[in-house]
Amino acid sequence: MSIIIIIIILLVLVFLWYMWFLQKKNAGVLNGFKDNITALMEDRFKDKIKKIEDMNLTGSSSERFVSVKEEYQKQLNEVVPNISADMRKAEYRNTQFKIFGANKLLKTIGTEISDVEAEFSNLETSLDNLSNSDEQNALRRDELHKGYQLLRKKVLTQSFDYGSAADNLEDELSEVATLLDDEESSTKSGDHLEASQYLDDARVKIALITDQLKVIEPLHHELNEVFPGQVEEINDVYQKLLNQQFQFGDNIAELINGVQENMIKSDNALGELNFDETSSLNDTIKSDIENLYDILTVEVESKQSVLKQQKPVLDYINHSNYQHNKLEHRMQELEEHYVLKKSDRTSVEDNRKSLTSLREGYDQDVQDIADKKIIYSKAEATFKEIIEKLDRIEEEEKSINDSLNQMVSSEKIAVNSVDQYAKRLEIQKKIVEQLRLNGLPDYYLDYFYMVYDEINKLYDELNSEQINMEDISKQVIVAQEDLENLVQKTTELKQQVSLAEKLIQYANRYAGSDGELKDQLERSRAAFDNDYDYNKSVEIISGELERVEPGSVERIRETINA
């Protein structure tokens, strides 16, 4: 129990010490605020206000001064005393041990003191500006007057650099002069703020004119010096080319007039200080001048190219005609012995017409060149087109000639191939004859005679007066495939006949002791000798041999395949 009492006493003592500590802290803050209030209650701006009152301000400057003075008096006579009253309340609460209430009020007082000090600082700045406005304006006035005089002198003495814009520039300079005069009047009347505004407007106007000069000079330089010289040069060259009887696809005189009209429009826009339109028109003028230079240059260069190409193009036409005639003559000769492709004949006929048309067009161009009635750039394009068409004709007719060579070679190959097929067919016939059979299966005979007919047909077509190598080549491929199948069928037939004979011979050993086998043996022989069905003969006897001697058929088959 005693321990609890001791703890309680200790806690009370700690609390009392803490409250004493906060009271002392609040007292220290109050003492600091008293110094601040003492300083704020002093009439610190009395001398500044007196000085400004002696300036006899008018207009907006006077209105501004009255506003600042009234706000100062309000802060000094109302706000500061109210803060002082709040401090007395805080001090009373602190002495009455209302520590936390006093602390809260002190925080509010600290904020209010800071606000008043900030407001005094702003008011002081405003008073200083009003007090020094005349001096500041005087400095700015001198600077702007100098800038105005230099700018006016530049515009007057270098008006040739600004062309039609000079008049408007002088008007703008007059506006600056008016602003400076108005500033002087406002200063004399005591309205320094209004005077300052006039100086600001003059400064902006001078800066604008300075920037305009930077834009005007290059634009006027192009209109006054660059473009006229280029147009004059183009016109001189154009007249010389006309004297040389050059022809043009474009109306050069009209294009030159268009450039000159745009130059007038651009100069008018510059005079109105419409820089966007002037810049856009100047860009158009540049593009049009470049186009005119290109047109004249192209025609001069095209003339040189045309005169240089005239002979080579004629030589190429003659060469193409010579090659074409050779191809036509060869096709006429080959047609006596071969059926030519219809597409090749059509292509050659079309090429003959194209060559005739190209030569006629070339001759007309050459005549127009001689008569100086042609546009050289068009003649150059025509020559280029002629060369491209001749290239196509030459490539196409080379392909046709290669095809004819292939056709002739194919005949020799076909003849050799058919001769080989006939020999192989004869070999198959001899192989079958060596089997000494009573007859052959229908399927084999049909296939044999089909291949035989195909080979004979090939011989007939190869020996005809006019052969179609395209069809023959296809038939040779078919005959080769059919012959290969026949060789396979002959091999299979030979193997089946040999197997049937050996199986029948081997089965004879069981014929005397096995009646059923004997019957099947007779059936197998009948299929072999009478029906020529060697596969069926093998099938019949194989079954019986496997019944009486399993494995015997496979063993005999292996002896045949070995």
Side-chain angles (χ1 to χ4, degrees):
M1 186 68 179
S2 60
I3 295 174
I4 294 174
I5 293 171
I6 292 170
I7 292 173
I8 291 172
I9 293 170
L10 288 174
L11 289 173
V12 170
L13 290 173
V14 169
F15 176 73
L16 291 173
W17 177 86
Y18 179 67
M19 294 298 289
W20 175 83
F21 172 78
L22 287 180
Q23 187 187 40
K24 288 291 185 182
K25 183 179 179 182
N26 288 346
V29 173
L30 275 166
N31 288 331
F33 284 170
K34 287 178 181 179
D35 293 338
N36 291 335
I37 288 297
T38 300
L40 291 175
M41 292 180 72
E42 294 178 359
D43 192 358
R44 63 175 72 179
F45 299 147
K46 180 175 65 174
D47 294 338
K48 291 180 183 290
I49 291 173
K50 180 66 173 65
K51 178 182 176 182
I52 296 173
E53 286 175 341
D54 293 341
M55 291 174 64
N56 297 318
L57 299 178
T58 62
S60 58
S61 297
S62 177
E63 292 172 2
R64 176 61 177 160
F65 171 64
V66 170
S67 174
V68 172
K69 182 179 177 181
E70 288 177 351
E71 181 61 29
Y72 172 63
Q73 295 297 332
K74 178 183 176 183
Q75 294 289 326
L76 188 64
N77 299 323
E78 297 179 19
V79 177
V80 174
N82 289 338
I83 297 173
S84 181
D86 288 340
M87 286 177 60
R88 288 194 293 274
K89 291 178 184 178
E91 186 176 16
Y92 175 75
R93 290 179 185 179
N94 198 48
T95 56
Q96 294 297 314
F97 261 86
K98 296 179 180 179
I99 308 300
F100 296 108
N103 182 263
K104 182 178 180 181
L105 188 53
L106 286 173
K107 289 181 179 178
T108 302
I109 292 169
T111 301
E112 291 174 345
I113 290 174
S114 296
D115 291 343
V116 172
E117 289 177 341
E119 183 63 22
F120 275 7
S121 178
N122 292 333
L123 292 172
E124 184 176 22
T125 300
S126 297
L127 291 171
D128 288 340
N129 287 338
L130 286 168
S131 177
N132 299 327
S133 59
D134 187 33
E135 297 175 5
Q136 293 172 350
N137 286 352
L139 292 173
R140 293 173 62 203
R141 185 186 311 116
D142 290 342
E143 181 183 352
L144 289 173
H145 270 283
K146 290 178 182 178
Y148 164 73
Q149 292 298 335
L150 288 173
L151 199 58
R152 185 170 182 276
K153 181 180 178 182
K154 183 175 183 180
V155 171
L156 292 176
T157 59
Q158 300 180 24
S159 58
F160 55 85
D161 287 335
Y162 312 120
S164 57
D167 291 341
N168 269 328
L169 289 173
E170 290 179 10
D171 291 342
E172 290 188 340
L173 284 170
S174 296
E175 293 178 16
V176 175
T178 300
L179 289 171
L180 293 175
D181 290 342
D182 291 341
E183 182 273 334
E184 187 175 354
S185 298
S186 296
T187 299
K188 289 179 180 179
S189 66
D191 192 346
H192 301 294
L193 286 180
E194 186 177 55
S196 178
Q197 184 60 54
Y198 283 131
L199 290 175
D200 287 340
D201 293 343
R203 179 184 57 81
V204 171
K205 196 68 177 177
I206 288 173
L208 174 63
I209 296 172
T210 301
D211 290 340
Q212 287 175 337
L213 293 183
K214 296 177 182 178
V215 176
I216 293 170
E217 286 188 45
L219 293 175
H220 176 68
H221 176 71
E222 288 180 333
L223 288 169
N224 190 53
E225 297 183 27
V226 178
F227 296 155
Q230 291 175 333
V231 170
E232 183 178 359
E233 181 182 28
I234 288 170
N235 195 52
D236 288 344
V237 173
Y238 174 57
Q239 293 303 323
K240 289 178 182 178
L241 294 180
L242 285 181
N243 292 335
Q244 296 175 32
Q245 296 182 305
F246 271 78
Q247 303 296 322
F248 298 93
D250 300 285
N251 190 328
I252 305 299
E254 186 176 313
L255 292 176
I256 293 174
N257 287 335
V259 170
Q260 292 172 331
E261 288 175 2
N262 279 334
M263 287 169 61
I264 295 171
K265 291 179 182 178
S266 182
D267 190 58
N268 291 336
L270 185 63
E272 297 171 2
L273 304 183
N274 188 340
F275 303 128
D276 288 340
E277 184 177 356
T278 302
S279 180
S280 177
L281 284 167
N282 279 16
D283 288 340
T284 301
I285 293 167
K286 288 177 191 174
S287 177
D288 291 344
I289 286 175
E290 288 176 3
N291 181 50
L292 282 165
Y293 273 122
D294 288 341
I295 292 172
L296 299 179
T297 302
V298 165
E299 292 306 323
V300 172
E301 293 178 350
S302 294
K303 179 181 180 180
Q304 297 173 356
S305 176
V306 166
L307 296 179
K308 184 178 179 181
Q309 291 183 15
Q310 190 170 322
K311 179 66 166 54
V313 172
L314 176 60
D315 291 342
Y316 196 2
I317 292 174
N318 291 336
H319 170 75
S320 296
N321 272 302
Y322 173 75
Q323 293 295 110
H324 176 83
N325 292 336
K326 280 180 62 179
L327 179 61
E328 273 192 336
H329 180 70
R330 188 181 183 205
M331 291 180 73
Q332 290 171 359
E333 290 181 340
L334 291 176
E335 272 187 319
E336 296 178 2
H337 185 59
Y338 299 97
V339 175
L340 303 183
K341 292 180 183 178
K342 184 178 180 180
S343 60
D344 287 348
R345 292 199 303 272
T346 300
S347 294
V348 171
E349 289 172 3
D350 291 342
N351 289 343
R352 163 54 62 193
K353 295 176 183 177
S354 295
L355 287 169
T356 300
S357 175
L358 290 176
R359 179 56 189 267
E360 291 174 353
Y362 172 82
D363 289 342
Q364 183 61 53
D365 284 347
V366 170
Q367 185 60 49
D368 290 342
I369 292 170
D371 296 339
K372 295 184 178 181
K373 295 179 180 179
I374 199 166
I375 299 172
Y376 288 111
S377 58
K378 290 186 177 180
E380 184 180 25
T382 301
F383 282 4
K384 182 180 179 182
E385 184 179 352
I386 289 173
I387 291 172
E388 289 174 352
K389 288 182 177 179
L390 291 176
D391 287 343
R392 180 190 58 77
I393 291 172
E394 185 173 44
E395 182 178 352
E396 184 178 41
E397 294 198 339
K398 181 180 182 302
S399 176
I400 292 172
N401 191 59
D402 291 342
S403 176
L404 296 176
N405 292 337
Q406 181 65 37
M407 181 185 67
V408 174
S409 300
S410 296
E411 181 187 11
K412 296 177 182 178
I413 294 172
V415 170
N416 291 333
S417 296
V418 173
D419 286 343
Q420 293 297 322
Y421 297 165
K423 291 178 181 178
R424 290 190 69 187
L425 183 65
E426 185 64 25
I427 291 172
Q428 304 311 306
K429 180 181 178 184
K430 289 182 179 180
I431 290 173
V432 173
E433 288 175 348
Q434 288 173 359
L435 296 177
R436 302 191 181 198
L437 300 172
N438 293 335
L440 294 170
D442 290 341
Y443 79 87
Y444 182 82
L445 286 174
D446 290 343
Y447 207 89
F448 180 89
Y449 285 115
M450 179 190 74
V451 175
Y452 176 80
D453 290 341
E454 288 176 351
I455 293 173
N456 282 336
K457 183 181 178 183
L458 282 170
Y459 272 125
D460 290 341
E461 293 192 9
L462 286 169
N463 291 324
S464 63
E465 290 186 3
Q466 193 178 42
I467 64 177
N468 189 330
M469 280 309 305
E470 188 174 3
D471 289 343
I472 290 174
S473 296
K474 295 176 183 177
Q475 292 179 40
V476 167
I477 294 172
V478 173
Q480 181 183 17
E481 292 176 354
D482 290 341
L483 181 59
E484 293 296 335
N485 290 334
L486 179 63
V487 170
Q488 181 64 29
K489 291 180 182 296
T490 302
T491 301
E492 292 172 356
L493 175 65
K494 181 179 178 181
Q495 289 176 344
Q496 286 298 90
V497 168
S498 178
L499 179 60
E501 288 176 343
K502 289 196 175 186
L503 290 174
I504 290 171
Q505 183 179 2
Y506 191 81
N508 282 331
R509 68 178 64 186
Y510 295 108
S513 58
D514 191 322
E516 185 176 350
L517 184 141
K518 181 178 180 181
D519 292 340
Q520 294 300 321
L521 180 60
E522 290 301 323
R523 285 186 60 216
S524 179
R525 282 175 175 167
F528 188 96
D529 295 331
N530 302 327
D531 298 335
Y532 320 130
D533 193 344
Y534 307 110
N535 290 332
K536 185 176 182 180
S537 176
V538 169
E539 181 183 348
I540 293 171
I541 197 60
S542 293
E544 287 302 309
L545 279 176
E546 282 298 306
R547 181 178 63 79
V548 299
E549 186 181 341
S552 58
V553 174
E554 187 60 30
R555 188 174 64 253
I556 294 171
R557 190 187 301 274
E558 288 177 355
T559 62
I560 294 173
N561 294 332

